[in-house]
Amino acid sequence: MRLNPGPFEPFVYLLQIPLVFRVVGLGGFVLFSILTLSIAGEHSAGAVILGLALMGALWYETSTNVCRRCRFYGTWHCLGQGILVSRLFWRIDERLGESGTMLHGALLAAFFTYGLFWLWHEPMLGFIFTLWIPIALITATAPAGFSWRALKPT
């Protein structure tokens, strides 16, 4: 729990339950990706290829760096991603360092920027998914914090 819980704290805790993560976070990400690639595909094949390359890079980085360190490794928490990763890669017990955390954030930011660029070609979709991104990021964090990030030295 944070030292100074604000007026939105009950909503934040509600957003952090696993069901909301699966429906809003992961389901929204799938919808975000499908809509982004379909709108990009209306403009050019190169735009779709770039999107698929970004998505592939994000999936590979997430699978090899984040999922292998997550407390839900080998479970259905992420709708099968943990099961798939456990069959492809062994578990890593050490936490992810700052450079790995920054790489993950940079790839997420790149994919979200790419997606919002295309989604804003349809203003209502752009507006909805611009509001969705911070909510999805809240659903992806546990109340106790990330399970895969390195502890800060004291």
Side-chain angles (χ1 to χ4, degrees), residues 1 13 16 71 95 141-147:
M1 184 176 219
Y13 285 130
Q16 292 175 330
R71 68 178 71 113
R95 294 182 179 247
T141 60
F146 293 109
S147 64

Side-chain angles (χ1 to χ4, degrees), residues 80-95:
Q81 178 71 10
I83 298 288
L84 179 65
V85 169
S86 71
R87 303 211 179 188
L88 295 173
F89 308 106
W90 65 91
R91 182 174 183 76
I92 298 176
D93 290 324
E94 60 198 41
R95 294 182 179 247

Side-chain angles (χ1 to χ4, degrees), residues 34-140:
I34 291 169
L35 291 172
T36 294
L37 292 174
S38 67
I39 293 172
E42 294 173 0
H43 293 281
S44 74
V48 173
I49 292 170
L50 175 62
L52 289 172
L54 278 172
M55 187 185 298
L58 178 61
W59 179 86
Y60 183 76
E61 184 277 330
T62 300
S63 297
T64 57
N65 288 332
V66 177
C67 293
R68 294 169 66 188
R69 293 172 166 89
C70 184
R71 68 178 71 113
F72 301 110
Y73 173 84
T75 69
W76 286 98
H77 178 74
C78 293
L79 302 178
Q81 178 71 10
I83 298 288
L84 179 65
V85 169
S86 71
R87 303 211 179 188
L88 295 173
F89 308 106
W90 65 91
R91 182 174 183 76
I92 298 176
D93 290 324
E94 60 198 41
R95 294 182 179 247
L96 186 61
E98 289 298 316
S99 62
T101 304
M102 302 254 309
L103 174 63
H104 184 66
L107 283 170
L108 267 177
F111 187 69
F112 284 155
T113 302
Y114 167 84
L116 287 177
F117 172 79
W118 290 110
L119 289 173
W120 273 100
H121 283 70
E122 301 285 334
M124 187 53 80
L125 285 177
F127 178 73
I128 290 169
F129 281 101
T130 299
L131 294 177
W132 167 80
I133 287 177
I135 292 169
L137 294 174
I138 291 170
T139 68

Side-chain angles (χ1 to χ4, degrees), residues 18-35:
L19 179 64
V20 175
F21 167 69
R22 290 179 190 120
V23 173
V24 175
L26 295 177
F29 188 76
V30 168
L31 187 61
F32 176 86
S33 301
I34 291 169
L35 291 172

